Amino acid sequence: MNKAEKQAFTEEFRSEAENAGALYLTDFTGLDVKAMTALRRQIRESGGRYWVVKNRLARRAFDDLEISGLDPHLSGPTGIVLGSTDVVEPAKVLVGFARDHDKRPAFKVGVVEGKVIGEEQFLKVATLPARDVLMAQLAGALEGPMAAFVSALEGKLQEFVGLLDALKEKSQED
């Protein structure tokens, strides 16, 4: 890569990293081309992108983005997953792929919403339900109290109608 190509690559990577909700750094040692192709495809389908980046270029992009705490993890072969549309799905793909491929790629460190996370937090992110499921759960949680309120109002309305009927019958008897 010449200097212009490196500059263009760094600019493109920085632009995508800036708009990403999550960055997951991995060590892809031990994965063959076929496995890497499958991993890239699965991550792309989950709304992310897998970059194989020279550590020096990644360091430069992270410095420009003012993301600190990643330098100790930028050694050896580094693949970076950028989750632009979803934070959870690319993490799930990485965990599932590593489970099926002898723990490869190995997780190094992550950045979610600007905060550096370790492996324990990464695994928690990977076990979260998808965004659509979380939104549906939130809607269900909000719907429950409202449905109970409407039911209570309906019960009072029926009680009121019953009292009016009883009053009508009593006035007809007199």
Side-chain angles (χ1 to χ4, degrees):
M1 246 186 205
N2 64 32
K3 188 174 183 177
E5 290 172 329
K6 289 177 183 177
Q7 181 69 26
F9 179 85
T10 304
E11 287 293 323
E12 183 183 359
F13 176 74
R14 185 179 54 223
S15 174
E16 283 201 33
E18 188 173 35
N19 297 322
L23 301 163
Y24 304 120
L25 279 68
T26 65
D27 178 352
F28 59 87
T29 303
L31 290 177
D32 59 12
V33 174
K34 183 178 176 183
M36 285 293 288
T37 303
L39 175 62
R40 286 177 190 255
R41 181 178 36 76
Q42 288 178 22
I43 289 175
R44 191 173 40 252
E45 289 170 357
S46 73
R49 185 166 176 195
Y50 193 82
W51 290 73
V52 174
V53 181
K54 289 187 178 208
N55 293 323
R56 187 172 35 82
L57 297 177
R59 201 174 278 115
R60 188 179 301 161
F62 293 145
D63 287 345
D64 290 347
L65 294 171
E66 299 177 2
I67 299 173
S68 59
L70 301 181
D71 279 353
H73 305 284
L74 290 172
S75 62
T78 302
I80 301 174
V81 176
L82 299 176
S84 29
T85 58
D86 192 359
V87 172
V88 176
E89 287 304 312
K92 285 184 179 196
V93 169
L94 277 175
V95 169
F97 195 88
R99 182 178 49 243
D100 297 340
H101 291 86
D102 195 29
K103 298 184 180 178
R104 293 290 174 208
F107 177 78
K108 289 182 177 183
V109 70
V111 179
V112 176
E113 302 295 330
K115 296 180 183 175
V116 177
I117 63 169
E119 187 170 5
E120 185 177 317
Q121 292 139 329
F122 169 73
L123 293 173
K124 286 181 182 178
V125 168
T127 58
L128 287 172
R131 186 178 192 282
D132 295 342
V133 173
L134 286 173
M135 295 302 278
Q137 289 174 347
L138 176 62
L142 294 174
E143 180 187 25
M146 286 188 249
F149 178 69
V150 168
S151 178
L153 287 177
E154 184 180 1
K156 289 298 178 185
L157 183 61
Q158 288 176 353
E159 184 180 320
F160 179 70
V161 169
L163 288 172
L164 285 178
D165 285 342
L167 184 63
K168 180 180 173 184
E169 286 179 19
K170 185 174 181 180
S171 67
Q172 288 176 352
E173 288 176 3
D174 291 338

PDB file of all heavy atoms in Angstrom, residues 10-23 48-51 65 82-84:
ATOM      1  N   THR A  10      -7.593   4.716   5.637  1.00  0.00           N
ATOM      2  CA  THR A  10      -7.795   5.247   6.987  1.00  0.00           C
ATOM      3  C   THR A  10      -9.015   6.152   7.029  1.00  0.00           C
ATOM      4  O   THR A  10      -9.810   6.087   7.972  1.00  0.00           O
ATOM      5  CB  THR A  10      -6.539   6.006   7.466  1.00  0.00           C
ATOM      6  OG1 THR A  10      -5.421   5.128   7.390  1.00  0.00           O
ATOM      7  CG2 THR A  10      -6.694   6.485   8.888  1.00  0.00           C
ATOM      8  N   GLU A  11      -9.188   6.989   6.011  1.00  0.00           N
ATOM      9  CA  GLU A  11     -10.347   7.895   5.953  1.00  0.00           C
ATOM     10  C   GLU A  11     -11.652   7.099   5.890  1.00  0.00           C
ATOM     11  O   GLU A  11     -12.619   7.413   6.591  1.00  0.00           O
ATOM     12  CB  GLU A  11     -10.242   8.825   4.737  1.00  0.00           C
ATOM     13  CG  GLU A  11      -9.206   9.899   4.870  1.00  0.00           C
ATOM     14  CD  GLU A  11      -9.551  10.914   5.935  1.00  0.00           C
ATOM     15  OE1 GLU A  11     -10.737  11.256   6.087  1.00  0.00           O
ATOM     16  OE2 GLU A  11      -8.615  11.338   6.639  1.00  0.00           O
ATOM     17  N   GLU A  12     -11.693   6.084   5.030  1.00  0.00           N
ATOM     18  CA  GLU A  12     -12.906   5.274   4.900  1.00  0.00           C
ATOM     19  C   GLU A  12     -13.209   4.529   6.199  1.00  0.00           C
ATOM     20  O   GLU A  12     -14.349   4.507   6.666  1.00  0.00           O
ATOM     21  CB  GLU A  12     -12.762   4.285   3.752  1.00  0.00           C
ATOM     22  CG  GLU A  12     -14.019   3.460   3.516  1.00  0.00           C
ATOM     23  CD  GLU A  12     -13.867   2.420   2.423  1.00  0.00           C
ATOM     24  OE1 GLU A  12     -12.785   2.322   1.811  1.00  0.00           O
ATOM     25  OE2 GLU A  12     -14.846   1.691   2.194  1.00  0.00           O
ATOM     26  N   PHE A  13     -12.182   3.933   6.777  1.00  0.00           N
ATOM     27  CA  PHE A  13     -12.372   3.203   8.027  1.00  0.00           C
ATOM     28  C   PHE A  13     -12.839   4.147   9.138  1.00  0.00           C
ATOM     29  O   PHE A  13     -13.764   3.841   9.869  1.00  0.00           O
ATOM     30  CB  PHE A  13     -11.082   2.491   8.443  1.00  0.00           C
ATOM     31  CG  PHE A  13     -11.192   1.794   9.768  1.00  0.00           C
ATOM     32  CD1 PHE A  13     -11.903   0.614   9.880  1.00  0.00           C
ATOM     33  CD2 PHE A  13     -10.618   2.333  10.912  1.00  0.00           C
ATOM     34  CE1 PHE A  13     -12.033  -0.021  11.100  1.00  0.00           C
ATOM     35  CE2 PHE A  13     -10.739   1.707  12.129  1.00  0.00           C
ATOM     36  CZ  PHE A  13     -11.450   0.520  12.233  1.00  0.00           C
ATOM     37  N   ARG A  14     -12.196   5.307   9.257  1.00  0.00           N
ATOM     38  CA  ARG A  14     -12.569   6.270  10.294  1.00  0.00           C
ATOM     39  C   ARG A  14     -14.006   6.740  10.107  1.00  0.00           C
ATOM     40  O   ARG A  14     -14.763   6.857  11.062  1.00  0.00           O
ATOM     41  CB  ARG A  14     -11.613   7.457  10.288  1.00  0.00           C
ATOM     42  CG  ARG A  14     -11.918   8.415  11.439  1.00  0.00           C
ATOM     43  CD  ARG A  14     -11.011   9.601  11.507  1.00  0.00           C
ATOM     44  NE  ARG A  14     -10.997  10.288  10.227  1.00  0.00           N
ATOM     45  CZ  ARG A  14      -9.899  10.749   9.651  1.00  0.00           C
ATOM     46  NH1 ARG A  14      -8.740  10.611  10.208  1.00  0.00           N
ATOM     47  NH2 ARG A  14      -9.966  11.357   8.493  1.00  0.00           N
ATOM     48  N   SER A  15     -14.398   6.980   8.874  1.00  0.00           N
ATOM     49  CA  SER A  15     -15.766   7.416   8.581  1.00  0.00           C
ATOM     50  C   SER A  15     -16.784   6.365   9.026  1.00  0.00           C
ATOM     51  O   SER A  15     -17.786   6.689   9.666  1.00  0.00           O
ATOM     52  CB  SER A  15     -15.910   7.686   7.091  1.00  0.00           C
ATOM     53  OG  SER A  15     -17.236   7.964   6.765  1.00  0.00           O
ATOM     54  N   GLU A  16     -16.520   5.112   8.702  1.00  0.00           N
ATOM     55  CA  GLU A  16     -17.448   4.055   9.115  1.00  0.00           C
ATOM     56  C   GLU A  16     -17.420   3.844  10.624  1.00  0.00           C
ATOM     57  O   GLU A  16     -18.456   3.613  11.241  1.00  0.00           O
ATOM     58  CB  GLU A  16     -17.138   2.752   8.378  1.00  0.00           C
ATOM     59  CG  GLU A  16     -17.638   2.770   6.963  1.00  0.00           C
ATOM     60  CD  GLU A  16     -17.802   1.383   6.379  1.00  0.00           C
ATOM     61  OE1 GLU A  16     -18.147   0.443   7.133  1.00  0.00           O
ATOM     62  OE2 GLU A  16     -17.586   1.242   5.172  1.00  0.00           O
ATOM     63  N   ALA A  17     -16.239   3.909  11.222  1.00  0.00           N
ATOM     64  CA  ALA A  17     -16.116   3.719  12.674  1.00  0.00           C
ATOM     65  C   ALA A  17     -16.813   4.840  13.435  1.00  0.00           C
ATOM     66  O   ALA A  17     -17.390   4.620  14.497  1.00  0.00           O
ATOM     67  CB  ALA A  17     -14.649   3.640  13.074  1.00  0.00           C
ATOM     68  N   GLU A  18     -16.765   6.036  12.879  1.00  0.00           N
ATOM     69  CA  GLU A  18     -17.397   7.190  13.524  1.00  0.00           C
ATOM     70  C   GLU A  18     -18.909   7.018  13.602  1.00  0.00           C
ATOM     71  O   GLU A  18     -19.549   7.417  14.565  1.00  0.00           O
ATOM     72  CB  GLU A  18     -17.048   8.451  12.734  1.00  0.00           C
ATOM     73  CG  GLU A  18     -17.474   9.737  13.372  1.00  0.00           C
ATOM     74  CD  GLU A  18     -16.937  10.934  12.601  1.00  0.00           C
ATOM     75  OE1 GLU A  18     -16.845  10.865  11.358  1.00  0.00           O
ATOM     76  OE2 GLU A  18     -16.617  11.923  13.267  1.00  0.00           O
ATOM     77  N   ASN A  19     -19.495   6.392  12.584  1.00  0.00           N
ATOM     78  CA  ASN A  19     -20.947   6.199  12.528  1.00  0.00           C
ATOM     79  C   ASN A  19     -21.404   4.891  13.143  1.00  0.00           C
ATOM     80  O   ASN A  19     -22.594   4.620  13.194  1.00  0.00           O
ATOM     81  CB  ASN A  19     -21.414   6.279  11.071  1.00  0.00           C
ATOM     82  CG  ASN A  19     -21.149   7.643  10.479  1.00  0.00           C
ATOM     83  OD1 ASN A  19     -21.294   8.659  11.142  1.00  0.00           O
ATOM     84  ND2 ASN A  19     -20.731   7.676   9.230  1.00  0.00           N
ATOM     85  N   ALA A  20     -20.472   4.064  13.586  1.00  0.00           N
ATOM     86  CA  ALA A  20     -20.820   2.749  14.137  1.00  0.00           C
ATOM     87  C   ALA A  20     -21.225   2.878  15.603  1.00  0.00           C
ATOM     88  O   ALA A  20     -20.639   3.647  16.353  1.00  0.00           O
ATOM     89  CB  ALA A  20     -19.641   1.798  14.008  1.00  0.00           C
ATOM     90  N   GLY A  21     -22.211   2.094  15.996  1.00  0.00           N
ATOM     91  CA  GLY A  21     -22.608   2.050  17.392  1.00  0.00           C
ATOM     92  C   GLY A  21     -21.715   1.146  18.220  1.00  0.00           C
ATOM     93  O   GLY A  21     -21.645   1.267  19.433  1.00  0.00           O
ATOM     94  N   ALA A  22     -21.034   0.230  17.530  1.00  0.00           N
ATOM     95  CA  ALA A  22     -20.167  -0.720  18.237  1.00  0.00           C
ATOM     96  C   ALA A  22     -18.957  -1.073  17.383  1.00  0.00           C
ATOM     97  O   ALA A  22     -19.048  -1.144  16.163  1.00  0.00           O
ATOM     98  CB  ALA A  22     -20.940  -1.986  18.573  1.00  0.00           C
ATOM     99  N   LEU A  23     -17.841  -1.277  18.063  1.00  0.00           N
ATOM    100  CA  LEU A  23     -16.606  -1.777  17.461  1.00  0.00           C
ATOM    101  C   LEU A  23     -16.176  -2.973  18.285  1.00  0.00           C
ATOM    102  O   LEU A  23     -16.118  -2.882  19.508  1.00  0.00           O
ATOM    103  CB  LEU A  23     -15.477  -0.746  17.543  1.00  0.00           C
ATOM    104  CG  LEU A  23     -15.647   0.604  16.911  1.00  0.00           C
ATOM    105  CD1 LEU A  23     -14.608   1.564  17.466  1.00  0.00           C
ATOM    106  CD2 LEU A  23     -15.468   0.479  15.423  1.00  0.00           C
ATOM    107  N   GLY A  48     -23.488  -5.468  10.067  1.00  0.00           N
ATOM    108  CA  GLY A  48     -22.157  -4.995  10.406  1.00  0.00           C
ATOM    109  C   GLY A  48     -21.189  -5.161   9.248  1.00  0.00           C
ATOM    110  O   GLY A  48     -21.585  -5.520   8.140  1.00  0.00           O
ATOM    111  N   ARG A  49     -19.940  -4.871   9.540  1.00  0.00           N
ATOM    112  CA  ARG A  49     -18.887  -5.040   8.536  1.00  0.00           C
ATOM    113  C   ARG A  49     -17.619  -5.483   9.247  1.00  0.00           C
ATOM    114  O   ARG A  49     -17.310  -4.973  10.327  1.00  0.00           O
ATOM    115  CB  ARG A  49     -18.649  -3.726   7.803  1.00  0.00           C
ATOM    116  CG  ARG A  49     -17.662  -3.856   6.673  1.00  0.00           C
ATOM    117  CD  ARG A  49     -17.686  -2.682   5.755  1.00  0.00           C
ATOM    118  NE  ARG A  49     -16.634  -2.846   4.747  1.00  0.00           N
ATOM    119  CZ  ARG A  49     -16.207  -1.895   3.975  1.00  0.00           C
ATOM    120  NH1 ARG A  49     -16.741  -0.702   4.059  1.00  0.00           N
ATOM    121  NH2 ARG A  49     -15.245  -2.114   3.106  1.00  0.00           N
ATOM    122  N   TYR A  50     -16.906  -6.425   8.646  1.00  0.00           N
ATOM    123  CA  TYR A  50     -15.673  -6.952   9.224  1.00  0.00           C
ATOM    124  C   TYR A  50     -14.486  -6.405   8.447  1.00  0.00           C
ATOM    125  O   TYR A  50     -14.377  -6.610   7.245  1.00  0.00           O
ATOM    126  CB  TYR A  50     -15.675  -8.484   9.179  1.00  0.00           C
ATOM    127  CG  TYR A  50     -14.594  -9.119  10.025  1.00  0.00           C
ATOM    128  CD1 TYR A  50     -14.791  -9.284  11.387  1.00  0.00           C
ATOM    129  CD2 TYR A  50     -13.400  -9.548   9.475  1.00  0.00           C
ATOM    130  CE1 TYR A  50     -13.814  -9.873  12.182  1.00  0.00           C
ATOM    131  CE2 TYR A  50     -12.415 -10.141  10.255  1.00  0.00           C
ATOM    132  CZ  TYR A  50     -12.632 -10.296  11.606  1.00  0.00           C
ATOM    133  OH  TYR A  50     -11.671 -10.866  12.392  1.00  0.00           O
ATOM    134  N   TRP A  51     -13.619  -5.693   9.143  1.00  0.00           N
ATOM    135  CA  TRP A  51     -12.430  -5.097   8.544  1.00  0.00           C
ATOM    136  C   TRP A  51     -11.193  -5.804   9.077  1.00  0.00           C
ATOM    137  O   TRP A  51     -11.064  -5.975  10.284  1.00  0.00           O
ATOM    138  CB  TRP A  51     -12.298  -3.630   8.944  1.00  0.00           C
ATOM    139  CG  TRP A  51     -13.289  -2.690   8.360  1.00  0.00           C
ATOM    140  CD1 TRP A  51     -14.601  -2.572   8.688  1.00  0.00           C
ATOM    141  CD2 TRP A  51     -13.039  -1.698   7.375  1.00  0.00           C
ATOM    142  NE1 TRP A  51     -15.176  -1.579   7.963  1.00  0.00           N
ATOM    143  CE2 TRP A  51     -14.232  -1.018   7.147  1.00  0.00           C
ATOM    144  CE3 TRP A  51     -11.907  -1.326   6.657  1.00  0.00           C
ATOM    145  CZ2 TRP A  51     -14.345   0.012   6.239  1.00  0.00           C
ATOM    146  CZ3 TRP A  51     -12.023  -0.291   5.756  1.00  0.00           C
ATOM    147  CH2 TRP A  51     -13.227   0.361   5.551  1.00  0.00           C
ATOM    148  N   LEU A  65     -10.514   9.694  16.140  1.00  0.00           N
ATOM    149  CA  LEU A  65     -11.862   9.613  16.718  1.00  0.00           C
ATOM    150  C   LEU A  65     -11.870   9.827  18.231  1.00  0.00           C
ATOM    151  O   LEU A  65     -12.923   9.801  18.850  1.00  0.00           O
ATOM    152  CB  LEU A  65     -12.489   8.248  16.403  1.00  0.00           C
ATOM    153  CG  LEU A  65     -12.778   7.983  14.936  1.00  0.00           C
ATOM    154  CD1 LEU A  65     -13.190   6.531  14.728  1.00  0.00           C
ATOM    155  CD2 LEU A  65     -13.872   8.915  14.442  1.00  0.00           C
ATOM    156  N   LEU A  82     -17.533  -3.641  12.792  1.00  0.00           N
ATOM    157  CA  LEU A  82     -18.254  -2.387  12.983  1.00  0.00           C
ATOM    158  C   LEU A  82     -19.743  -2.697  12.904  1.00  0.00           C
ATOM    159  O   LEU A  82     -20.227  -3.160  11.877  1.00  0.00           O
ATOM    160  CB  LEU A  82     -17.880  -1.365  11.910  1.00  0.00           C
ATOM    161  CG  LEU A  82     -16.424  -0.942  11.836  1.00  0.00           C
ATOM    162  CD1 LEU A  82     -16.201   0.004  10.669  1.00  0.00           C
ATOM    163  CD2 LEU A  82     -15.987  -0.292  13.123  1.00  0.00           C
ATOM    164  N   GLY A  83     -20.454  -2.461  13.989  1.00  0.00           N
ATOM    165  CA  GLY A  83     -21.897  -2.654  14.004  1.00  0.00           C
ATOM    166  C   GLY A  83     -22.576  -1.321  13.808  1.00  0.00           C
ATOM    167  O   GLY A  83     -22.688  -0.551  14.745  1.00  0.00           O
ATOM    168  N   SER A  84     -22.983  -1.028  12.582  1.00  0.00           N
ATOM    169  CA  SER A  84     -23.545   0.285  12.320  1.00  0.00           C
ATOM    170  C   SER A  84     -25.038   0.359  12.578  1.00  0.00           C
ATOM    171  O   SER A  84     -25.511   1.323  13.154  1.00  0.00           O
ATOM    172  CB  SER A  84     -23.230   0.746  10.903  1.00  0.00           C
ATOM    173  OG  SER A  84     -23.101  -0.318  10.028  1.00  0.00           O
TER     174      SER A  84
END
